[in-house]
Amino acid sequence: MRAALSAARAHPFPRLLAGDWLTLLASLLLVVLLFQALWQSQGASKLRIRQGDTVYATLSLDQKRTLHLHGPQGETEIVIDHGRVRFLRAPCNSQYCVHQGWLTRAGQVAICLPNQISLELLGKRKSYDSLNY
Amino acid sequence: MQIQTTPQDHHIARLAALAIGLHMVEAILPSPIPGVKPGIANIVTLFVLYRFDLTTAAWVSLLRVFAASLLLGQFLTPTFMLSLSGALTSLLMLVLASRLPRRWFGPVSLSVLAAFAHIAGQLLVVRLWLIPHVGVAYLVPVFATAALIFGLVNGLVVARLLASHDAAPRS
C-alpha cells in the first residue's frame, strides 16, 4: 500500500503518447463530423400550405411571392421570400402565427388555428417533429 | 465433486469479481441521459489486457457481462443484449488495436477506440432489433461524445494504474 502510494506520487499523471493524441484528434474530428451530418437541420426547399383539412398548395421556396388566402375568419397574407416564409397578416385575435416570424429550416411549422391555415417547410427528406425514446 | 482449477482460473475469477463490482456500482449510479454510462468496468478489462493478455481480458469482460446481468436480474433482457454486444465489439476492436505499436499507442488510445466500438455495437443492436427506426441516427452524436469523454477518462485511469502497478512490488 505504501509502495503504491509513493508510486502514485512518483507518477502524478500518465503521459499521453503521440499515437494517443492522434487517436484523440481523430475521435474529436469524428464526433464533430457526426454532429454536423446528423444534427444539422437541412435547409428547406419547399413550402406546404394546408387550409382546413386539405393541402392548399406545395410551392417552391425559391421565389418572392405574396399569397392571399381566405379562411373562416377572413384574409391571411403569407410571404415567401427566397428560402423563408412567414405569416404577414392574419385576421385572428392571438396573432401567434404572425409573431412566429420567418420559418427557414425544414420541419418548421407555423399554424393559424382560428383561420385554419398552416405552413410547413419541407426538406429533401421528411424530418421528425418529435422523437421519443 | 471437485473441479480442478488452475492459478490462472483464480486470477481470472478475482479480476472478474472486481469488474463485476464496478459494474454493479455503475448500475446504481443515476445517469443524466438514458444509456450514457462511463463504463468503469472496462478499466479492469484494459488493465488485464496490459498485465495479462487478450484472452484473459476477454474472459474477464464476458464473465462480468454474464454475472452482473444475473445479479441485476437482467439476464437475456435488452439491457443484457446491449451490454453483451458492446462488450463483444469492443473486444473485437481491442484485438485489432492491441496490434498497434506500443511505443506510440498507449492505454488511452485503446480505451477510446474500444469505447467507440462499444457504442457502435450497441447502436447496431438498437437500430436492428430494439428501435428499427432511422431516428436512432439522431442519438449517434450524443453517444459518440460520451464515448470520447469516458474513453479518455478510463484510459487515463488505466495508464495511471499501470504506472503505479509497475512501481509497486509484484504481489
Side-chain angles (χ1 to χ4, degrees):
Chain A
M1 188 64 193
R2 183 160 296 170
L5 278 178
S6 66
R9 261 180 245 117
H11 304 271
F13 214 75
R15 228 156 28 95
L16 290 184
L17 307 172
D20 292 339
W21 286 112
L22 197 71
T23 309
L24 286 174
L25 211 67
S27 306
L28 194 67
L29 197 71
L30 177 72
V31 169
V32 170
L33 286 176
L34 281 174
F35 267 109
Q36 276 192 341
L38 300 172
W39 268 32
Q40 202 140 64
S41 47
Q42 38 179 347
S45 57
K46 284 201 171 110
L47 163 69
R48 177 162 292 162
I49 303 173
R50 282 195 177 82
Q51 190 169 30
D53 56 356
T54 54
V55 174
Y56 171 80
T58 306
L59 305 166
S60 165
L61 266 186
D62 195 24
Q63 56 180 326
K64 176 119 180 136
R65 187 167 167 187
T66 307
L67 293 151
H68 299 272
L69 269 76
H70 295 273
Q73 290 206 342
E75 192 187 75
T76 289
E77 197 175 335
I78 296 159
V79 182
I80 306 172
D81 178 28
H82 299 296
R84 53 184 197 161
V85 67
R86 72 169 295 169
F87 281 104
L88 194 67
R89 251 185 291 279
C92 54
N93 288 326
S94 60
Q95 297 286 305
Y96 289 143
C97 52
V98 176
H99 289 148
Q100 198 168 343
W102 292 105
L103 309 181
T104 53
R105 283 174 288 115
Q108 281 188 315
V109 175
I111 301 168
C112 183
L113 276 181
N115 217 17
Q116 297 182 12
I117 294 170
S118 76
L119 308 177
E120 183 187 8
L121 292 189
L122 307 174
K124 283 182 193 71
R125 60 197 158 96
K126 184 92 174 77
S127 61
Y128 311 100
D129 48 4
S130 73
L131 278 177
N132 286 303
Y133 75 102
Chain B
M1 194 180 86
Q2 179 82 41
I3 299 172
Q4 291 300 314
T5 55
T6 62
Q8 170 83 348
D9 294 338
H10 288 255
H11 253 316
I12 292 175
R14 206 175 298 145
L15 292 159
L18 185 59
I20 292 162
L22 289 176
H23 189 121
M24 302 301 283
V25 167
E26 192 172 87
I28 59 163
L29 285 177
S31 166
I33 311 167
V36 173
K37 296 215 157 200
I40 47 176
N42 296 316
I43 293 170
V44 181
T45 309
L46 209 53
F47 182 82
V48 172
L49 173 65
Y50 272 89
R51 276 297 159 262
F52 298 87
D53 53 22
L54 199 62
T55 320
T56 316
W59 267 113
V60 168
S61 174
L62 294 174
L63 274 175
R64 188 257 304 172
V65 169
F66 279 90
S69 80
L70 285 171
L71 287 170
L72 292 166
Q74 293 171 338
F75 186 55
L76 294 184
T77 63
T79 313
F80 163 77
M81 290 308 197
L82 288 177
S83 191
L84 182 64
S85 61
L88 286 174
T89 44
S90 58
L91 281 172
L92 207 67
M93 175 58 94
L94 285 178
V95 171
L96 301 172
S98 59
R99 294 179 181 200
L100 289 168
R102 290 273 163 102
R103 262 191 67 191
W104 292 305
F105 294 91
V108 171
S109 289
L110 266 61
S111 178
V112 170
L113 289 172
F116 272 102
H118 198 275
I119 56 139
Q122 290 188 322
L123 283 168
L124 205 67
V125 168
V126 169
R127 177 67 181 84
L128 294 177
W129 180 47
L130 294 173
I131 313 172
H133 193 286
V134 284
V136 171
Y138 203 67
L139 299 173
V140 172
V142 179
F143 287 120
T145 310
L148 176 56
I149 294 168
F150 293 128
L152 170 63
V153 172
N154 289 350
L156 286 172
V157 171
V158 173
R160 184 74 165 64
L161 282 175
L162 289 170
S164 7
H165 191 248
D166 281 341
R170 285 298 193 97
S171 54

PDB file of all heavy atoms in Angstrom, chain A residues 74-103:
ATOM      1  N   GLY A  74     -61.365  35.318 -42.375  1.00  0.00           N
ATOM      2  CA  GLY A  74     -61.017  36.403 -43.291  1.00  0.00           C
ATOM      3  C   GLY A  74     -59.745  36.137 -44.057  1.00  0.00           C
ATOM      4  O   GLY A  74     -59.341  34.975 -44.225  1.00  0.00           O
ATOM      5  N   GLU A  75     -59.078  37.185 -44.429  1.00  0.00           N
ATOM      6  CA  GLU A  75     -57.924  37.043 -45.315  1.00  0.00           C
ATOM      7  C   GLU A  75     -56.620  36.953 -44.537  1.00  0.00           C
ATOM      8  O   GLU A  75     -56.346  37.760 -43.647  1.00  0.00           O
ATOM      9  CB  GLU A  75     -57.863  38.238 -46.267  1.00  0.00           C
ATOM     10  CG  GLU A  75     -56.882  38.010 -47.398  1.00  0.00           C
ATOM     11  CD  GLU A  75     -56.705  39.270 -48.252  1.00  0.00           C
ATOM     12  OE1 GLU A  75     -56.031  40.198 -47.795  1.00  0.00           O
ATOM     13  OE2 GLU A  75     -57.253  39.299 -49.354  1.00  0.00           O
ATOM     14  N   THR A  76     -55.806  35.955 -44.900  1.00  0.00           N
ATOM     15  CA  THR A  76     -54.479  35.800 -44.328  1.00  0.00           C
ATOM     16  C   THR A  76     -53.463  36.064 -45.429  1.00  0.00           C
ATOM     17  O   THR A  76     -53.633  35.593 -46.551  1.00  0.00           O
ATOM     18  CB  THR A  76     -54.293  34.371 -43.787  1.00  0.00           C
ATOM     19  OG1 THR A  76     -55.088  34.206 -42.624  1.00  0.00           O
ATOM     20  CG2 THR A  76     -52.830  34.103 -43.421  1.00  0.00           C
ATOM     21  N   GLU A  77     -52.406  36.831 -45.064  1.00  0.00           N
ATOM     22  CA  GLU A  77     -51.387  37.139 -46.054  1.00  0.00           C
ATOM     23  C   GLU A  77     -50.097  36.406 -45.708  1.00  0.00           C
ATOM     24  O   GLU A  77     -49.603  36.490 -44.581  1.00  0.00           O
ATOM     25  CB  GLU A  77     -51.141  38.659 -46.077  1.00  0.00           C
ATOM     26  CG  GLU A  77     -50.421  39.123 -47.327  1.00  0.00           C
ATOM     27  CD  GLU A  77     -50.312  40.646 -47.356  1.00  0.00           C
ATOM     28  OE1 GLU A  77     -51.143  41.330 -46.720  1.00  0.00           O
ATOM     29  OE2 GLU A  77     -49.373  41.137 -47.995  1.00  0.00           O
ATOM     30  N   ILE A  78     -49.565  35.676 -46.670  1.00  0.00           N
ATOM     31  CA  ILE A  78     -48.346  34.885 -46.469  1.00  0.00           C
ATOM     32  C   ILE A  78     -47.290  35.365 -47.445  1.00  0.00           C
ATOM     33  O   ILE A  78     -47.600  35.598 -48.624  1.00  0.00           O
ATOM     34  CB  ILE A  78     -48.641  33.387 -46.722  1.00  0.00           C
ATOM     35  CG1 ILE A  78     -49.648  32.858 -45.688  1.00  0.00           C
ATOM     36  CG2 ILE A  78     -47.352  32.561 -46.682  1.00  0.00           C
ATOM     37  CD1 ILE A  78     -50.354  31.608 -46.133  1.00  0.00           C
ATOM     38  N   VAL A  79     -46.041  35.509 -46.946  1.00  0.00           N
ATOM     39  CA  VAL A  79     -44.971  35.981 -47.822  1.00  0.00           C
ATOM     40  C   VAL A  79     -43.901  34.912 -47.961  1.00  0.00           C
ATOM     41  O   VAL A  79     -43.386  34.398 -46.958  1.00  0.00           O
ATOM     42  CB  VAL A  79     -44.323  37.269 -47.273  1.00  0.00           C
ATOM     43  CG1 VAL A  79     -43.240  37.753 -48.232  1.00  0.00           C
ATOM     44  CG2 VAL A  79     -45.361  38.331 -47.085  1.00  0.00           C
ATOM     45  N   ILE A  80     -43.567  34.566 -49.177  1.00  0.00           N
ATOM     46  CA  ILE A  80     -42.422  33.695 -49.455  1.00  0.00           C
ATOM     47  C   ILE A  80     -41.302  34.585 -49.948  1.00  0.00           C
ATOM     48  O   ILE A  80     -41.518  35.428 -50.831  1.00  0.00           O
ATOM     49  CB  ILE A  80     -42.750  32.651 -50.543  1.00  0.00           C
ATOM     50  CG1 ILE A  80     -44.004  31.859 -50.165  1.00  0.00           C
ATOM     51  CG2 ILE A  80     -41.569  31.718 -50.761  1.00  0.00           C
ATOM     52  CD1 ILE A  80     -44.493  30.964 -51.284  1.00  0.00           C
ATOM     53  N   ASP A  81     -40.103  34.423 -49.338  1.00  0.00           N
ATOM     54  CA  ASP A  81     -39.007  35.315 -49.727  1.00  0.00           C
ATOM     55  C   ASP A  81     -37.706  34.535 -49.826  1.00  0.00           C
ATOM     56  O   ASP A  81     -36.924  34.479 -48.878  1.00  0.00           O
ATOM     57  CB  ASP A  81     -38.895  36.456 -48.708  1.00  0.00           C
ATOM     58  CG  ASP A  81     -37.743  37.384 -49.034  1.00  0.00           C
ATOM     59  OD1 ASP A  81     -37.387  37.504 -50.215  1.00  0.00           O
ATOM     60  OD2 ASP A  81     -37.184  37.962 -48.082  1.00  0.00           O
ATOM     61  N   HIS A  82     -37.473  33.905 -50.936  1.00  0.00           N
ATOM     62  CA  HIS A  82     -36.223  33.205 -51.234  1.00  0.00           C
ATOM     63  C   HIS A  82     -35.708  32.378 -50.059  1.00  0.00           C
ATOM     64  O   HIS A  82     -34.738  32.731 -49.415  1.00  0.00           O
ATOM     65  CB  HIS A  82     -35.147  34.197 -51.696  1.00  0.00           C
ATOM     66  CG  HIS A  82     -35.538  34.916 -52.941  1.00  0.00           C
ATOM     67  ND1 HIS A  82     -35.721  34.272 -54.148  1.00  0.00           N
ATOM     68  CD2 HIS A  82     -35.843  36.214 -53.170  1.00  0.00           C
ATOM     69  CE1 HIS A  82     -36.094  35.144 -55.058  1.00  0.00           C
ATOM     70  NE2 HIS A  82     -36.189  36.330 -54.511  1.00  0.00           N
ATOM     71  N   GLY A  83     -36.355  31.257 -49.806  1.00  0.00           N
ATOM     72  CA  GLY A  83     -35.889  30.326 -48.786  1.00  0.00           C
ATOM     73  C   GLY A  83     -36.530  30.509 -47.423  1.00  0.00           C
ATOM     74  O   GLY A  83     -36.241  29.768 -46.499  1.00  0.00           O
ATOM     75  N   ARG A  84     -37.388  31.497 -47.278  1.00  0.00           N
ATOM     76  CA  ARG A  84     -38.060  31.649 -45.989  1.00  0.00           C
ATOM     77  C   ARG A  84     -39.507  32.076 -46.236  1.00  0.00           C
ATOM     78  O   ARG A  84     -39.863  32.557 -47.308  1.00  0.00           O
ATOM     79  CB  ARG A  84     -37.330  32.650 -45.100  1.00  0.00           C
ATOM     80  CG  ARG A  84     -37.100  33.989 -45.764  1.00  0.00           C
ATOM     81  CD  ARG A  84     -36.282  34.904 -44.876  1.00  0.00           C
ATOM     82  NE  ARG A  84     -36.419  36.284 -45.348  1.00  0.00           N
ATOM     83  CZ  ARG A  84     -36.140  37.345 -44.605  1.00  0.00           C
ATOM     84  NH1 ARG A  84     -35.710  37.208 -43.360  1.00  0.00           N
ATOM     85  NH2 ARG A  84     -36.289  38.562 -45.076  1.00  0.00           N
ATOM     86  N   VAL A  85     -40.301  31.858 -45.197  1.00  0.00           N
ATOM     87  CA  VAL A  85     -41.722  32.155 -45.346  1.00  0.00           C
ATOM     88  C   VAL A  85     -42.277  32.629 -44.004  1.00  0.00           C
ATOM     89  O   VAL A  85     -41.751  32.273 -42.948  1.00  0.00           O
ATOM     90  CB  VAL A  85     -42.482  30.907 -45.854  1.00  0.00           C
ATOM     91  CG1 VAL A  85     -42.471  29.813 -44.805  1.00  0.00           C
ATOM     92  CG2 VAL A  85     -43.913  31.238 -46.248  1.00  0.00           C
ATOM     93  N   ARG A  86     -43.297  33.469 -44.037  1.00  0.00           N
ATOM     94  CA  ARG A  86     -43.940  33.887 -42.788  1.00  0.00           C
ATOM     95  C   ARG A  86     -45.389  34.304 -43.034  1.00  0.00           C
ATOM     96  O   ARG A  86     -45.783  34.606 -44.162  1.00  0.00           O
ATOM     97  CB  ARG A  86     -43.177  35.032 -42.135  1.00  0.00           C
ATOM     98  CG  ARG A  86     -43.315  36.382 -42.848  1.00  0.00           C
ATOM     99  CD  ARG A  86     -42.759  37.487 -41.994  1.00  0.00           C
ATOM    100  NE  ARG A  86     -43.550  37.640 -40.772  1.00  0.00           N
ATOM    101  CZ  ARG A  86     -43.186  38.389 -39.742  1.00  0.00           C
ATOM    102  NH1 ARG A  86     -42.014  39.005 -39.755  1.00  0.00           N
ATOM    103  NH2 ARG A  86     -43.948  38.499 -38.684  1.00  0.00           N
ATOM    104  N   PHE A  87     -46.148  34.299 -41.939  1.00  0.00           N
ATOM    105  CA  PHE A  87     -47.463  34.932 -41.965  1.00  0.00           C
ATOM    106  C   PHE A  87     -47.226  36.432 -41.832  1.00  0.00           C
ATOM    107  O   PHE A  87     -46.562  36.876 -40.881  1.00  0.00           O
ATOM    108  CB  PHE A  87     -48.301  34.465 -40.766  1.00  0.00           C
ATOM    109  CG  PHE A  87     -48.918  33.105 -40.941  1.00  0.00           C
ATOM    110  CD1 PHE A  87     -48.390  31.995 -40.300  1.00  0.00           C
ATOM    111  CD2 PHE A  87     -50.059  32.944 -41.724  1.00  0.00           C
ATOM    112  CE1 PHE A  87     -48.979  30.748 -40.444  1.00  0.00           C
ATOM    113  CE2 PHE A  87     -50.661  31.697 -41.874  1.00  0.00           C
ATOM    114  CZ  PHE A  87     -50.111  30.599 -41.240  1.00  0.00           C
ATOM    115  N   LEU A  88     -47.731  37.213 -42.741  1.00  0.00           N
ATOM    116  CA  LEU A  88     -47.529  38.656 -42.652  1.00  0.00           C
ATOM    117  C   LEU A  88     -48.718  39.327 -41.967  1.00  0.00           C
ATOM    118  O   LEU A  88     -48.558  40.234 -41.159  1.00  0.00           O
ATOM    119  CB  LEU A  88     -47.320  39.239 -44.045  1.00  0.00           C
ATOM    120  CG  LEU A  88     -46.768  40.665 -44.056  1.00  0.00           C
ATOM    121  CD1 LEU A  88     -45.345  40.687 -43.529  1.00  0.00           C
ATOM    122  CD2 LEU A  88     -46.802  41.224 -45.477  1.00  0.00           C
ATOM    123  N   ARG A  89     -49.899  38.882 -42.338  1.00  0.00           N
ATOM    124  CA  ARG A  89     -51.104  39.456 -41.739  1.00  0.00           C
ATOM    125  C   ARG A  89     -52.120  38.343 -41.554  1.00  0.00           C
ATOM    126  O   ARG A  89     -52.220  37.444 -42.400  1.00  0.00           O
ATOM    127  CB  ARG A  89     -51.703  40.526 -42.657  1.00  0.00           C
ATOM    128  CG  ARG A  89     -51.547  41.952 -42.128  1.00  0.00           C
ATOM    129  CD  ARG A  89     -52.273  42.942 -43.032  1.00  0.00           C
ATOM    130  NE  ARG A  89     -51.627  43.065 -44.327  1.00  0.00           N
ATOM    131  CZ  ARG A  89     -50.546  43.831 -44.525  1.00  0.00           C
ATOM    132  NH1 ARG A  89     -50.012  44.504 -43.523  1.00  0.00           N
ATOM    133  NH2 ARG A  89     -50.003  43.908 -45.716  1.00  0.00           N
ATOM    134  N   ALA A  90     -52.828  38.383 -40.427  1.00  0.00           N
ATOM    135  CA  ALA A  90     -53.866  37.381 -40.192  1.00  0.00           C
ATOM    136  C   ALA A  90     -55.017  38.048 -39.454  1.00  0.00           C
ATOM    137  O   ALA A  90     -54.799  38.991 -38.682  1.00  0.00           O
ATOM    138  CB  ALA A  90     -53.292  36.227 -39.373  1.00  0.00           C
ATOM    139  N   PRO A  91     -56.204  37.545 -39.666  1.00  0.00           N
ATOM    140  CA  PRO A  91     -57.361  38.171 -39.037  1.00  0.00           C
ATOM    141  C   PRO A  91     -57.613  37.696 -37.604  1.00  0.00           C
ATOM    142  O   PRO A  91     -58.502  38.212 -36.940  1.00  0.00           O
ATOM    143  CB  PRO A  91     -58.515  37.746 -39.953  1.00  0.00           C
ATOM    144  CG  PRO A  91     -58.079  36.446 -40.517  1.00  0.00           C
ATOM    145  CD  PRO A  91     -56.594  36.472 -40.595  1.00  0.00           C
ATOM    146  N   CYS A  92     -56.828  36.720 -37.147  1.00  0.00           N
ATOM    147  CA  CYS A  92     -57.113  36.127 -35.839  1.00  0.00           C
ATOM    148  C   CYS A  92     -56.764  37.095 -34.703  1.00  0.00           C
ATOM    149  O   CYS A  92     -56.003  38.046 -34.879  1.00  0.00           O
ATOM    150  CB  CYS A  92     -56.359  34.817 -35.691  1.00  0.00           C
ATOM    151  SG  CYS A  92     -54.592  34.983 -35.981  1.00  0.00           S
ATOM    152  N   ASN A  93     -57.292  36.805 -33.483  1.00  0.00           N
ATOM    153  CA  ASN A  93     -57.064  37.673 -32.329  1.00  0.00           C
ATOM    154  C   ASN A  93     -55.669  37.500 -31.739  1.00  0.00           C
ATOM    155  O   ASN A  93     -55.020  38.470 -31.349  1.00  0.00           O
ATOM    156  CB  ASN A  93     -58.103  37.378 -31.240  1.00  0.00           C
ATOM    157  CG  ASN A  93     -59.484  37.887 -31.650  1.00  0.00           C
ATOM    158  OD1 ASN A  93     -59.593  38.915 -32.331  1.00  0.00           O
ATOM    159  ND2 ASN A  93     -60.518  37.164 -31.255  1.00  0.00           N
ATOM    160  N   SER A  94     -55.244  36.256 -31.660  1.00  0.00           N
ATOM    161  CA  SER A  94     -53.989  35.991 -30.942  1.00  0.00           C
ATOM    162  C   SER A  94     -52.755  36.464 -31.715  1.00  0.00           C
ATOM    163  O   SER A  94     -51.776  36.878 -31.111  1.00  0.00           O
ATOM    164  CB  SER A  94     -53.872  34.494 -30.658  1.00  0.00           C
ATOM    165  OG  SER A  94     -53.886  33.791 -31.882  1.00  0.00           O
ATOM    166  N   GLN A  95     -52.771  36.347 -33.011  1.00  0.00           N
ATOM    167  CA  GLN A  95     -51.650  36.733 -33.882  1.00  0.00           C
ATOM    168  C   GLN A  95     -50.381  35.897 -33.626  1.00  0.00           C
ATOM    169  O   GLN A  95     -49.277  36.338 -33.893  1.00  0.00           O
ATOM    170  CB  GLN A  95     -51.307  38.230 -33.714  1.00  0.00           C
ATOM    171  CG  GLN A  95     -52.431  39.167 -34.132  1.00  0.00           C
ATOM    172  CD  GLN A  95     -52.584  39.261 -35.646  1.00  0.00           C
ATOM    173  OE1 GLN A  95     -51.657  39.568 -36.358  1.00  0.00           O
ATOM    174  NE2 GLN A  95     -53.781  38.960 -36.125  1.00  0.00           N
ATOM    175  N   TYR A  96     -50.575  34.699 -33.028  1.00  0.00           N
ATOM    176  CA  TYR A  96     -49.421  33.818 -32.778  1.00  0.00           C
ATOM    177  C   TYR A  96     -48.673  33.527 -34.069  1.00  0.00           C
ATOM    178  O   TYR A  96     -47.451  33.517 -34.117  1.00  0.00           O
ATOM    179  CB  TYR A  96     -49.872  32.491 -32.156  1.00  0.00           C
ATOM    180  CG  TYR A  96     -50.357  32.594 -30.734  1.00  0.00           C
ATOM    181  CD1 TYR A  96     -51.424  31.828 -30.292  1.00  0.00           C
ATOM    182  CD2 TYR A  96     -49.712  33.447 -29.822  1.00  0.00           C
ATOM    183  CE1 TYR A  96     -51.875  31.914 -28.987  1.00  0.00           C
ATOM    184  CE2 TYR A  96     -50.164  33.537 -28.519  1.00  0.00           C
ATOM    185  CZ  TYR A  96     -51.240  32.778 -28.100  1.00  0.00           C
ATOM    186  OH  TYR A  96     -51.680  32.855 -26.815  1.00  0.00           O
ATOM    187  N   CYS A  97     -49.430  33.265 -35.121  1.00  0.00           N
ATOM    188  CA  CYS A  97     -48.826  32.869 -36.383  1.00  0.00           C
ATOM    189  C   CYS A  97     -47.938  33.983 -36.935  1.00  0.00           C
ATOM    190  O   CYS A  97     -46.844  33.739 -37.436  1.00  0.00           O
ATOM    191  CB  CYS A  97     -49.905  32.479 -37.395  1.00  0.00           C
ATOM    192  SG  CYS A  97     -51.193  33.732 -37.612  1.00  0.00           S
ATOM    193  N   VAL A  98     -48.396  35.216 -36.807  1.00  0.00           N
ATOM    194  CA  VAL A  98     -47.630  36.353 -37.303  1.00  0.00           C
ATOM    195  C   VAL A  98     -46.386  36.570 -36.448  1.00  0.00           C
ATOM    196  O   VAL A  98     -45.289  36.801 -36.960  1.00  0.00           O
ATOM    197  CB  VAL A  98     -48.499  37.632 -37.318  1.00  0.00           C
ATOM    198  CG1 VAL A  98     -47.665  38.838 -37.737  1.00  0.00           C
ATOM    199  CG2 VAL A  98     -49.680  37.454 -38.248  1.00  0.00           C
ATOM    200  N   HIS A  99     -46.540  36.435 -35.127  1.00  0.00           N
ATOM    201  CA  HIS A  99     -45.413  36.658 -34.219  1.00  0.00           C
ATOM    202  C   HIS A  99     -44.341  35.591 -34.335  1.00  0.00           C
ATOM    203  O   HIS A  99     -43.212  35.806 -33.904  1.00  0.00           O
ATOM    204  CB  HIS A  99     -45.917  36.741 -32.767  1.00  0.00           C
ATOM    205  CG  HIS A  99     -46.687  38.001 -32.505  1.00  0.00           C
ATOM    206  ND1 HIS A  99     -47.720  38.067 -31.615  1.00  0.00           N
ATOM    207  CD2 HIS A  99     -46.592  39.234 -33.052  1.00  0.00           C
ATOM    208  CE1 HIS A  99     -48.222  39.278 -31.613  1.00  0.00           C
ATOM    209  NE2 HIS A  99     -47.551  40.021 -32.480  1.00  0.00           N
ATOM    210  N   GLN A 100     -44.697  34.457 -34.894  1.00  0.00           N
ATOM    211  CA  GLN A 100     -43.689  33.398 -35.036  1.00  0.00           C
ATOM    212  C   GLN A 100     -42.599  33.812 -36.022  1.00  0.00           C
ATOM    213  O   GLN A 100     -41.482  33.313 -35.963  1.00  0.00           O
ATOM    214  CB  GLN A 100     -44.355  32.094 -35.489  1.00  0.00           C
ATOM    215  CG  GLN A 100     -43.472  30.893 -35.231  1.00  0.00           C
ATOM    216  CD  GLN A 100     -44.224  29.587 -35.392  1.00  0.00           C
ATOM    217  OE1 GLN A 100     -45.455  29.547 -35.399  1.00  0.00           O
ATOM    218  NE2 GLN A 100     -43.482  28.508 -35.519  1.00  0.00           N
ATOM    219  N   GLY A 101     -42.897  34.721 -36.901  1.00  0.00           N
ATOM    220  CA  GLY A 101     -41.882  35.270 -37.807  1.00  0.00           C
ATOM    221  C   GLY A 101     -41.506  34.334 -38.928  1.00  0.00           C
ATOM    222  O   GLY A 101     -42.282  33.463 -39.319  1.00  0.00           O
ATOM    223  N   TRP A 102     -40.261  34.489 -39.371  1.00  0.00           N
ATOM    224  CA  TRP A 102     -39.802  33.719 -40.531  1.00  0.00           C
ATOM    225  C   TRP A 102     -39.522  32.261 -40.174  1.00  0.00           C
ATOM    226  O   TRP A 102     -38.928  31.983 -39.143  1.00  0.00           O
ATOM    227  CB  TRP A 102     -38.518  34.321 -41.098  1.00  0.00           C
ATOM    228  CG  TRP A 102     -38.712  35.667 -41.719  1.00  0.00           C
ATOM    229  CD1 TRP A 102     -38.334  36.873 -41.186  1.00  0.00           C
ATOM    230  CD2 TRP A 102     -39.320  35.959 -42.975  1.00  0.00           C
ATOM    231  NE1 TRP A 102     -38.674  37.887 -42.027  1.00  0.00           N
ATOM    232  CE2 TRP A 102     -39.282  37.362 -43.148  1.00  0.00           C
ATOM    233  CE3 TRP A 102     -39.898  35.173 -43.964  1.00  0.00           C
ATOM    234  CZ2 TRP A 102     -39.800  37.993 -44.280  1.00  0.00           C
ATOM    235  CZ3 TRP A 102     -40.407  35.809 -45.093  1.00  0.00           C
ATOM    236  CH2 TRP A 102     -40.360  37.202 -45.248  1.00  0.00           C
ATOM    237  N   LEU A 103     -39.910  31.370 -41.055  1.00  0.00           N
ATOM    238  CA  LEU A 103     -39.534  29.957 -40.958  1.00  0.00           C
ATOM    239  C   LEU A 103     -38.455  29.722 -42.010  1.00  0.00           C
ATOM    240  O   LEU A 103     -38.610  30.159 -43.155  1.00  0.00           O
ATOM    241  CB  LEU A 103     -40.726  29.044 -41.263  1.00  0.00           C
ATOM    242  CG  LEU A 103     -42.028  29.298 -40.516  1.00  0.00           C
ATOM    243  CD1 LEU A 103     -43.060  28.257 -40.946  1.00  0.00           C
ATOM    244  CD2 LEU A 103     -41.829  29.228 -39.021  1.00  0.00           C
TER     245      LEU A 103
END
